[in-house]
Amino acid sequence: MKTLELTTERLLLNQPHIDDIPRLVEIMKNPVYNQNTTNIPFPYTETSGQFWVNLAKEELEVGNAYIFAIRLKGSSTIIGGIGLGIDKANNKAEMGYWLDSEHWNKGIVTEAGKAILQFGFDTLHLKKIFASYFTFNEASGKIMQKIGMQQEGVLKAHTLKSGEYLDHVFYSVINGCSLLLC
């Protein structure tokens, strides 16, 4: 079985595991995670957690996604998730992330995001990494800016969620480009 681990100054990024499920279910009781994402269900159940843990393992094996649990160094407790969904045909990936609201506004996702970008470019040799957020979730856009992404545009009515069409703001960073040259 493959495993991956990335470290930063304060964080350990590694594979989610079965022991994380009770904490996942507890964190995801907050409907904000469903509201701010396209793929986190609500209510979030033990089955949802099992699906995510298994998805991380299965996709890593075939290289279709690299899904990491975010943990503070020295702690085994999951506080978030971050990952890359790989588009092999186009040598690019979509980044997604979430963080326990108890840890918001501490620069944790910014730190994890920088590590994921470095992994995507230096290890996976991707050409482009992109991410998007719903227009009402500006905090997510600030993270994208802080990790060096540039806004590409706004896709109008891109997602139908709970009977409402939502706009996505798209950001990206291209490997080998400075902010001024691409």
Side-chain angles (χ1 to χ4, degrees):
M1 180 177 85
K2 273 185 168 178
T3 61
L4 276 178
E5 187 172 284
L6 307 175
T7 58
T8 68
E9 183 179 331
R10 299 180 293 165
L11 306 174
L12 171 65
L13 308 178
N14 64 7
Q15 305 315 124
H17 48 75
I18 202 84
D19 296 341
D20 293 326
I21 293 173
R23 184 68 189 132
L24 276 170
V25 172
E26 185 64 29
I27 292 168
M28 297 298 171
K29 283 183 180 177
N30 184 340
V32 72
Y33 301 103
N34 169 268
Q35 293 163 2
N36 288 341
T37 66
T38 58
N39 59 357
I40 295 178
F42 187 82
Y44 197 90
T45 63
E46 187 174 315
T47 301
S48 305
Q50 289 170 347
F51 174 81
W52 188 64
V53 168
N54 289 334
L55 180 70
K57 184 174 94 175
E58 292 165 4
E59 294 298 283
L60 175 63
E61 289 294 329
V62 295
N64 288 335
Y66 296 85
I67 300 169
F68 297 89
I70 302 173
R71 305 175 203 281
L72 295 173
K73 274 188 177 173
S75 173
S76 62
T77 303
I78 188 169
I79 63 167
I82 191 164
L84 295 172
I86 307 298
D87 175 350
K88 291 178 183 177
N90 295 294
N91 197 32
K92 65 182 179 180
E94 180 174 14
M95 180 171 56
Y97 46 80
W98 60 269
L99 185 69
D100 184 346
S101 61
E102 292 178 17
H103 297 279
W104 288 0
N105 301 310
K106 297 178 183 174
I108 290 172
V109 175
T110 299
E111 190 172 324
K114 287 177 180 177
I116 290 295
L117 288 180
Q118 183 176 3
F119 170 74
F121 291 145
D122 294 350
T123 303
L124 302 178
H125 307 289
L126 297 169
K127 182 62 178 173
K128 178 179 180 176
I129 297 175
F130 66 95
S132 71
Y133 67 92
F134 296 132
T135 52
F136 56 80
N137 186 10
E138 291 179 9
S140 194
K142 288 179 182 174
I143 291 166
M144 293 172 199
Q145 292 169 11
K146 287 178 184 177
I147 65 173
M149 291 184 155
Q150 291 183 307
Q151 184 177 331
E152 288 194 1
V154 178
L155 299 181
K156 299 291 188 181
H158 191 67
T159 297
L160 177 61
K161 186 172 177 84
S162 303
E164 182 181 356
Y165 287 97
L166 301 175
D167 298 346
H168 285 245
V169 182
F170 267 74
Y171 274 76
S172 72
V173 63
I174 298 173
N175 194 2
C177 295
S178 74
L179 291 176
L180 300 175
L181 296 177
C182 287

PDB file of all heavy atoms in Angstrom, residues 150-179:
ATOM      1  N   GLN A 150      -3.400  33.116  -9.412  1.00  0.00           N
ATOM      2  CA  GLN A 150      -3.979  34.287 -10.042  1.00  0.00           C
ATOM      3  C   GLN A 150      -5.389  33.970 -10.508  1.00  0.00           C
ATOM      4  O   GLN A 150      -5.662  32.859 -10.978  1.00  0.00           O
ATOM      5  CB  GLN A 150      -3.163  34.710 -11.262  1.00  0.00           C
ATOM      6  CG  GLN A 150      -1.803  35.258 -10.931  1.00  0.00           C
ATOM      7  CD  GLN A 150      -1.091  35.720 -12.191  1.00  0.00           C
ATOM      8  OE1 GLN A 150      -0.957  34.970 -13.150  1.00  0.00           O
ATOM      9  NE2 GLN A 150      -0.646  36.972 -12.183  1.00  0.00           N
ATOM     10  N   GLN A 151      -6.268  34.957 -10.409  1.00  0.00           N
ATOM     11  CA  GLN A 151      -7.639  34.756 -10.858  1.00  0.00           C
ATOM     12  C   GLN A 151      -7.679  34.640 -12.372  1.00  0.00           C
ATOM     13  O   GLN A 151      -7.085  35.449 -13.081  1.00  0.00           O
ATOM     14  CB  GLN A 151      -8.540  35.899 -10.402  1.00  0.00           C
ATOM     15  CG  GLN A 151      -9.992  35.656 -10.780  1.00  0.00           C
ATOM     16  CD  GLN A 151     -10.926  36.742 -10.281  1.00  0.00           C
ATOM     17  OE1 GLN A 151     -10.677  37.375  -9.274  1.00  0.00           O
ATOM     18  NE2 GLN A 151     -12.008  36.948 -11.007  1.00  0.00           N
ATOM     19  N   GLU A 152      -8.356  33.604 -12.850  1.00  0.00           N
ATOM     20  CA  GLU A 152      -8.544  33.418 -14.291  1.00  0.00           C
ATOM     21  C   GLU A 152      -9.866  33.987 -14.754  1.00  0.00           C
ATOM     22  O   GLU A 152      -9.997  34.429 -15.878  1.00  0.00           O
ATOM     23  CB  GLU A 152      -8.480  31.932 -14.654  1.00  0.00           C
ATOM     24  CG  GLU A 152      -7.102  31.348 -14.575  1.00  0.00           C
ATOM     25  CD  GLU A 152      -7.012  29.987 -15.254  1.00  0.00           C
ATOM     26  OE1 GLU A 152      -8.022  29.492 -15.807  1.00  0.00           O
ATOM     27  OE2 GLU A 152      -5.927  29.411 -15.225  1.00  0.00           O
ATOM     28  N   GLY A 153     -10.874  33.903 -13.901  1.00  0.00           N
ATOM     29  CA  GLY A 153     -12.173  34.401 -14.307  1.00  0.00           C
ATOM     30  C   GLY A 153     -13.275  33.874 -13.409  1.00  0.00           C
ATOM     31  O   GLY A 153     -13.029  33.186 -12.422  1.00  0.00           O
ATOM     32  N   VAL A 154     -14.502  34.229 -13.774  1.00  0.00           N
ATOM     33  CA  VAL A 154     -15.686  33.796 -13.040  1.00  0.00           C
ATOM     34  C   VAL A 154     -16.563  33.005 -14.001  1.00  0.00           C
ATOM     35  O   VAL A 154     -16.882  33.477 -15.096  1.00  0.00           O
ATOM     36  CB  VAL A 154     -16.474  35.001 -12.474  1.00  0.00           C
ATOM     37  CG1 VAL A 154     -17.731  34.539 -11.756  1.00  0.00           C
ATOM     38  CG2 VAL A 154     -15.596  35.839 -11.551  1.00  0.00           C
ATOM     39  N   LEU A 155     -16.906  31.803 -13.597  1.00  0.00           N
ATOM     40  CA  LEU A 155     -17.823  30.984 -14.388  1.00  0.00           C
ATOM     41  C   LEU A 155     -19.226  31.157 -13.810  1.00  0.00           C
ATOM     42  O   LEU A 155     -19.496  30.765 -12.674  1.00  0.00           O
ATOM     43  CB  LEU A 155     -17.400  29.519 -14.352  1.00  0.00           C
ATOM     44  CG  LEU A 155     -16.022  29.211 -14.929  1.00  0.00           C
ATOM     45  CD1 LEU A 155     -15.739  27.720 -14.859  1.00  0.00           C
ATOM     46  CD2 LEU A 155     -15.911  29.695 -16.370  1.00  0.00           C
ATOM     47  N   LYS A 156     -20.088  31.749 -14.595  1.00  0.00           N
ATOM     48  CA  LYS A 156     -21.456  32.052 -14.152  1.00  0.00           C
ATOM     49  C   LYS A 156     -22.318  30.797 -14.159  1.00  0.00           C
ATOM     50  O   LYS A 156     -22.235  29.972 -15.068  1.00  0.00           O
ATOM     51  CB  LYS A 156     -22.080  33.106 -15.075  1.00  0.00           C
ATOM     52  CG  LYS A 156     -21.341  34.426 -15.086  1.00  0.00           C
ATOM     53  CD  LYS A 156     -21.490  35.118 -13.762  1.00  0.00           C
ATOM     54  CE  LYS A 156     -20.934  36.520 -13.828  1.00  0.00           C
ATOM     55  NZ  LYS A 156     -21.040  37.198 -12.555  1.00  0.00           N
ATOM     56  N   ALA A 157     -23.131  30.664 -13.119  1.00  0.00           N
ATOM     57  CA  ALA A 157     -24.089  29.557 -12.999  1.00  0.00           C
ATOM     58  C   ALA A 157     -23.415  28.210 -13.273  1.00  0.00           C
ATOM     59  O   ALA A 157     -23.953  27.357 -13.959  1.00  0.00           O
ATOM     60  CB  ALA A 157     -25.280  29.780 -13.928  1.00  0.00           C
ATOM     61  N   HIS A 158     -22.245  28.022 -12.705  1.00  0.00           N
ATOM     62  CA  HIS A 158     -21.422  26.839 -12.984  1.00  0.00           C
ATOM     63  C   HIS A 158     -21.904  25.585 -12.255  1.00  0.00           C
ATOM     64  O   HIS A 158     -21.717  24.485 -12.734  1.00  0.00           O
ATOM     65  CB  HIS A 158     -19.973  27.140 -12.614  1.00  0.00           C
ATOM     66  CG  HIS A 158     -18.989  26.121 -13.074  1.00  0.00           C
ATOM     67  ND1 HIS A 158     -18.707  25.906 -14.401  1.00  0.00           N
ATOM     68  CD2 HIS A 158     -18.217  25.247 -12.384  1.00  0.00           C
ATOM     69  CE1 HIS A 158     -17.803  24.957 -14.515  1.00  0.00           C
ATOM     70  NE2 HIS A 158     -17.491  24.535 -13.316  1.00  0.00           N
ATOM     71  N   THR A 159     -22.499  25.766 -11.086  1.00  0.00           N
ATOM     72  CA  THR A 159     -22.940  24.618 -10.286  1.00  0.00           C
ATOM     73  C   THR A 159     -24.370  24.834  -9.814  1.00  0.00           C
ATOM     74  O   THR A 159     -24.705  25.905  -9.301  1.00  0.00           O
ATOM     75  CB  THR A 159     -22.028  24.442  -9.051  1.00  0.00           C
ATOM     76  OG1 THR A 159     -20.710  24.152  -9.499  1.00  0.00           O
ATOM     77  CG2 THR A 159     -22.499  23.314  -8.153  1.00  0.00           C
ATOM     78  N   LEU A 160     -25.203  23.804  -9.974  1.00  0.00           N
ATOM     79  CA  LEU A 160     -26.551  23.807  -9.419  1.00  0.00           C
ATOM     80  C   LEU A 160     -26.485  23.120  -8.068  1.00  0.00           C
ATOM     81  O   LEU A 160     -26.160  21.934  -7.976  1.00  0.00           O
ATOM     82  CB  LEU A 160     -27.522  23.084 -10.353  1.00  0.00           C
ATOM     83  CG  LEU A 160     -28.965  22.960  -9.862  1.00  0.00           C
ATOM     84  CD1 LEU A 160     -29.595  24.346  -9.668  1.00  0.00           C
ATOM     85  CD2 LEU A 160     -29.780  22.129 -10.850  1.00  0.00           C
ATOM     86  N   LYS A 161     -26.748  23.865  -7.002  1.00  0.00           N
ATOM     87  CA  LYS A 161     -26.648  23.334  -5.643  1.00  0.00           C
ATOM     88  C   LYS A 161     -27.880  23.775  -4.866  1.00  0.00           C
ATOM     89  O   LYS A 161     -28.163  24.968  -4.769  1.00  0.00           O
ATOM     90  CB  LYS A 161     -25.368  23.847  -4.987  1.00  0.00           C
ATOM     91  CG  LYS A 161     -25.084  23.243  -3.636  1.00  0.00           C
ATOM     92  CD  LYS A 161     -23.694  23.670  -3.179  1.00  0.00           C
ATOM     93  CE  LYS A 161     -23.399  23.164  -1.816  1.00  0.00           C
ATOM     94  NZ  LYS A 161     -22.900  21.819  -1.776  1.00  0.00           N
ATOM     95  N   SER A 162     -28.590  22.810  -4.343  1.00  0.00           N
ATOM     96  CA  SER A 162     -29.791  23.084  -3.548  1.00  0.00           C
ATOM     97  C   SER A 162     -30.765  23.990  -4.300  1.00  0.00           C
ATOM     98  O   SER A 162     -31.350  24.911  -3.732  1.00  0.00           O
ATOM     99  CB  SER A 162     -29.416  23.706  -2.199  1.00  0.00           C
ATOM    100  OG  SER A 162     -28.543  22.867  -1.495  1.00  0.00           O
ATOM    101  N   GLY A 163     -30.913  23.740  -5.589  1.00  0.00           N
ATOM    102  CA  GLY A 163     -31.871  24.480  -6.396  1.00  0.00           C
ATOM    103  C   GLY A 163     -31.416  25.862  -6.833  1.00  0.00           C
ATOM    104  O   GLY A 163     -32.189  26.607  -7.424  1.00  0.00           O
ATOM    105  N   GLU A 164     -30.163  26.218  -6.557  1.00  0.00           N
ATOM    106  CA  GLU A 164     -29.643  27.539  -6.911  1.00  0.00           C
ATOM    107  C   GLU A 164     -28.390  27.390  -7.770  1.00  0.00           C
ATOM    108  O   GLU A 164     -27.535  26.559  -7.484  1.00  0.00           O
ATOM    109  CB  GLU A 164     -29.295  28.303  -5.622  1.00  0.00           C
ATOM    110  CG  GLU A 164     -28.801  29.696  -5.840  1.00  0.00           C
ATOM    111  CD  GLU A 164     -28.440  30.399  -4.530  1.00  0.00           C
ATOM    112  OE1 GLU A 164     -28.639  29.826  -3.453  1.00  0.00           O
ATOM    113  OE2 GLU A 164     -27.933  31.527  -4.612  1.00  0.00           O
ATOM    114  N   TYR A 165     -28.308  28.206  -8.817  1.00  0.00           N
ATOM    115  CA  TYR A 165     -27.118  28.210  -9.657  1.00  0.00           C
ATOM    116  C   TYR A 165     -26.071  29.121  -9.027  1.00  0.00           C
ATOM    117  O   TYR A 165     -26.354  30.284  -8.729  1.00  0.00           O
ATOM    118  CB  TYR A 165     -27.455  28.680 -11.079  1.00  0.00           C
ATOM    119  CG  TYR A 165     -28.225  27.638 -11.847  1.00  0.00           C
ATOM    120  CD1 TYR A 165     -29.606  27.698 -11.922  1.00  0.00           C
ATOM    121  CD2 TYR A 165     -27.565  26.584 -12.464  1.00  0.00           C
ATOM    122  CE1 TYR A 165     -30.317  26.724 -12.613  1.00  0.00           C
ATOM    123  CE2 TYR A 165     -28.273  25.613 -13.167  1.00  0.00           C
ATOM    124  CZ  TYR A 165     -29.648  25.692 -13.220  1.00  0.00           C
ATOM    125  OH  TYR A 165     -30.349  24.731 -13.908  1.00  0.00           O
ATOM    126  N   LEU A 166     -24.877  28.569  -8.828  1.00  0.00           N
ATOM    127  CA  LEU A 166     -23.815  29.297  -8.153  1.00  0.00           C
ATOM    128  C   LEU A 166     -22.659  29.584  -9.108  1.00  0.00           C
ATOM    129  O   LEU A 166     -22.293  28.746  -9.929  1.00  0.00           O
ATOM    130  CB  LEU A 166     -23.300  28.496  -6.954  1.00  0.00           C
ATOM    131  CG  LEU A 166     -24.340  28.161  -5.889  1.00  0.00           C
ATOM    132  CD1 LEU A 166     -23.733  27.272  -4.814  1.00  0.00           C
ATOM    133  CD2 LEU A 166     -24.931  29.425  -5.281  1.00  0.00           C
ATOM    134  N   ASP A 167     -22.095  30.773  -8.963  1.00  0.00           N
ATOM    135  CA  ASP A 167     -20.924  31.170  -9.737  1.00  0.00           C
ATOM    136  C   ASP A 167     -19.664  30.658  -9.049  1.00  0.00           C
ATOM    137  O   ASP A 167     -19.610  30.583  -7.820  1.00  0.00           O
ATOM    138  CB  ASP A 167     -20.832  32.695  -9.833  1.00  0.00           C
ATOM    139  CG  ASP A 167     -22.013  33.337 -10.544  1.00  0.00           C
ATOM    140  OD1 ASP A 167     -22.783  32.612 -11.200  1.00  0.00           O
ATOM    141  OD2 ASP A 167     -22.154  34.563 -10.426  1.00  0.00           O
ATOM    142  N   HIS A 168     -18.649  30.329  -9.840  1.00  0.00           N
ATOM    143  CA  HIS A 168     -17.332  29.924  -9.330  1.00  0.00           C
ATOM    144  C   HIS A 168     -16.305  30.953  -9.764  1.00  0.00           C
ATOM    145  O   HIS A 168     -16.270  31.348 -10.937  1.00  0.00           O
ATOM    146  CB  HIS A 168     -16.877  28.586  -9.939  1.00  0.00           C
ATOM    147  CG  HIS A 168     -17.538  27.387  -9.407  1.00  0.00           C
ATOM    148  ND1 HIS A 168     -16.861  26.421  -8.703  1.00  0.00           N
ATOM    149  CD2 HIS A 168     -18.823  26.954  -9.468  1.00  0.00           C
ATOM    150  CE1 HIS A 168     -17.693  25.446  -8.365  1.00  0.00           C
ATOM    151  NE2 HIS A 168     -18.886  25.749  -8.827  1.00  0.00           N
ATOM    152  N   VAL A 169     -15.438  31.340  -8.833  1.00  0.00           N
ATOM    153  CA  VAL A 169     -14.292  32.164  -9.169  1.00  0.00           C
ATOM    154  C   VAL A 169     -13.111  31.209  -9.309  1.00  0.00           C
ATOM    155  O   VAL A 169     -12.823  30.440  -8.393  1.00  0.00           O
ATOM    156  CB  VAL A 169     -14.002  33.221  -8.086  1.00  0.00           C
ATOM    157  CG1 VAL A 169     -12.826  34.098  -8.503  1.00  0.00           C
ATOM    158  CG2 VAL A 169     -15.243  34.072  -7.823  1.00  0.00           C
ATOM    159  N   PHE A 170     -12.468  31.220 -10.491  1.00  0.00           N
ATOM    160  CA  PHE A 170     -11.367  30.293 -10.775  1.00  0.00           C
ATOM    161  C   PHE A 170     -10.019  30.984 -10.620  1.00  0.00           C
ATOM    162  O   PHE A 170      -9.825  32.105 -11.103  1.00  0.00           O
ATOM    163  CB  PHE A 170     -11.493  29.731 -12.200  1.00  0.00           C
ATOM    164  CG  PHE A 170     -12.244  28.435 -12.242  1.00  0.00           C
ATOM    165  CD1 PHE A 170     -13.621  28.421 -12.082  1.00  0.00           C
ATOM    166  CD2 PHE A 170     -11.580  27.234 -12.421  1.00  0.00           C
ATOM    167  CE1 PHE A 170     -14.322  27.230 -12.101  1.00  0.00           C
ATOM    168  CE2 PHE A 170     -12.274  26.035 -12.445  1.00  0.00           C
ATOM    169  CZ  PHE A 170     -13.646  26.036 -12.282  1.00  0.00           C
ATOM    170  N   TYR A 171      -9.119  30.273  -9.941  1.00  0.00           N
ATOM    171  CA  TYR A 171      -7.733  30.706  -9.754  1.00  0.00           C
ATOM    172  C   TYR A 171      -6.814  29.598 -10.226  1.00  0.00           C
ATOM    173  O   TYR A 171      -7.195  28.425 -10.218  1.00  0.00           O
ATOM    174  CB  TYR A 171      -7.444  30.969  -8.271  1.00  0.00           C
ATOM    175  CG  TYR A 171      -7.806  32.346  -7.807  1.00  0.00           C
ATOM    176  CD1 TYR A 171      -9.131  32.701  -7.567  1.00  0.00           C
ATOM    177  CD2 TYR A 171      -6.814  33.312  -7.596  1.00  0.00           C
ATOM    178  CE1 TYR A 171      -9.459  33.972  -7.134  1.00  0.00           C
ATOM    179  CE2 TYR A 171      -7.136  34.584  -7.162  1.00  0.00           C
ATOM    180  CZ  TYR A 171      -8.458  34.910  -6.930  1.00  0.00           C
ATOM    181  OH  TYR A 171      -8.768  36.177  -6.509  1.00  0.00           O
ATOM    182  N   SER A 172      -5.581  29.969 -10.615  1.00  0.00           N
ATOM    183  CA  SER A 172      -4.611  28.948 -10.990  1.00  0.00           C
ATOM    184  C   SER A 172      -3.199  29.479 -10.820  1.00  0.00           C
ATOM    185  O   SER A 172      -2.983  30.684 -10.666  1.00  0.00           O
ATOM    186  CB  SER A 172      -4.800  28.487 -12.434  1.00  0.00           C
ATOM    187  OG  SER A 172      -4.378  29.488 -13.323  1.00  0.00           O
ATOM    188  N   VAL A 173      -2.275  28.547 -10.873  1.00  0.00           N
ATOM    189  CA  VAL A 173      -0.857  28.864 -10.941  1.00  0.00           C
ATOM    190  C   VAL A 173      -0.251  27.892 -11.945  1.00  0.00           C
ATOM    191  O   VAL A 173      -0.628  26.720 -11.996  1.00  0.00           O
ATOM    192  CB  VAL A 173      -0.175  28.800  -9.558  1.00  0.00           C
ATOM    193  CG1 VAL A 173      -0.226  27.417  -8.959  1.00  0.00           C
ATOM    194  CG2 VAL A 173       1.246  29.312  -9.606  1.00  0.00           C
ATOM    195  N   ILE A 174       0.640  28.412 -12.773  1.00  0.00           N
ATOM    196  CA  ILE A 174       1.262  27.607 -13.820  1.00  0.00           C
ATOM    197  C   ILE A 174       2.726  27.379 -13.466  1.00  0.00           C
ATOM    198  O   ILE A 174       3.444  28.332 -13.138  1.00  0.00           O
ATOM    199  CB  ILE A 174       1.109  28.281 -15.194  1.00  0.00           C
ATOM    200  CG1 ILE A 174      -0.385  28.386 -15.535  1.00  0.00           C
ATOM    201  CG2 ILE A 174       1.866  27.511 -16.277  1.00  0.00           C
ATOM    202  CD1 ILE A 174      -0.695  29.173 -16.761  1.00  0.00           C
ATOM    203  N   ASN A 175       3.146  26.144 -13.543  1.00  0.00           N
ATOM    204  CA  ASN A 175       4.520  25.773 -13.214  1.00  0.00           C
ATOM    205  C   ASN A 175       5.491  26.479 -14.146  1.00  0.00           C
ATOM    206  O   ASN A 175       5.322  26.453 -15.360  1.00  0.00           O
ATOM    207  CB  ASN A 175       4.684  24.247 -13.333  1.00  0.00           C
ATOM    208  CG  ASN A 175       5.940  23.741 -12.701  1.00  0.00           C
ATOM    209  OD1 ASN A 175       6.728  24.474 -12.130  1.00  0.00           O
ATOM    210  ND2 ASN A 175       6.144  22.439 -12.798  1.00  0.00           N
ATOM    211  N   GLY A 176       6.484  27.116 -13.567  1.00  0.00           N
ATOM    212  CA  GLY A 176       7.502  27.789 -14.363  1.00  0.00           C
ATOM    213  C   GLY A 176       7.185  29.227 -14.689  1.00  0.00           C
ATOM    214  O   GLY A 176       7.961  29.884 -15.380  1.00  0.00           O
ATOM    215  N   CYS A 177       6.066  29.737 -14.191  1.00  0.00           N
ATOM    216  CA  CYS A 177       5.698  31.118 -14.480  1.00  0.00           C
ATOM    217  C   CYS A 177       5.744  31.965 -13.213  1.00  0.00           C
ATOM    218  O   CYS A 177       5.283  31.527 -12.162  1.00  0.00           O
ATOM    219  CB  CYS A 177       4.263  31.179 -15.026  1.00  0.00           C
ATOM    220  SG  CYS A 177       4.045  30.375 -16.604  1.00  0.00           S
ATOM    221  N   SER A 178       6.285  33.147 -13.341  1.00  0.00           N
ATOM    222  CA  SER A 178       6.171  34.094 -12.240  1.00  0.00           C
ATOM    223  C   SER A 178       4.841  34.813 -12.394  1.00  0.00           C
ATOM    224  O   SER A 178       4.198  34.748 -13.432  1.00  0.00           O
ATOM    225  CB  SER A 178       7.326  35.092 -12.269  1.00  0.00           C
ATOM    226  OG  SER A 178       7.129  36.014 -13.324  1.00  0.00           O
ATOM    227  N   LEU A 179       4.432  35.512 -11.365  1.00  0.00           N
ATOM    228  CA  LEU A 179       3.157  36.216 -11.414  1.00  0.00           C
ATOM    229  C   LEU A 179       3.129  37.261 -12.538  1.00  0.00           C
ATOM    230  O   LEU A 179       2.083  37.588 -13.045  1.00  0.00           O
ATOM    231  CB  LEU A 179       2.877  36.895 -10.078  1.00  0.00           C
ATOM    232  CG  LEU A 179       2.582  35.956  -8.912  1.00  0.00           C
ATOM    233  CD1 LEU A 179       2.418  36.747  -7.622  1.00  0.00           C
ATOM    234  CD2 LEU A 179       1.349  35.124  -9.171  1.00  0.00           C
TER     235      LEU A 179
END
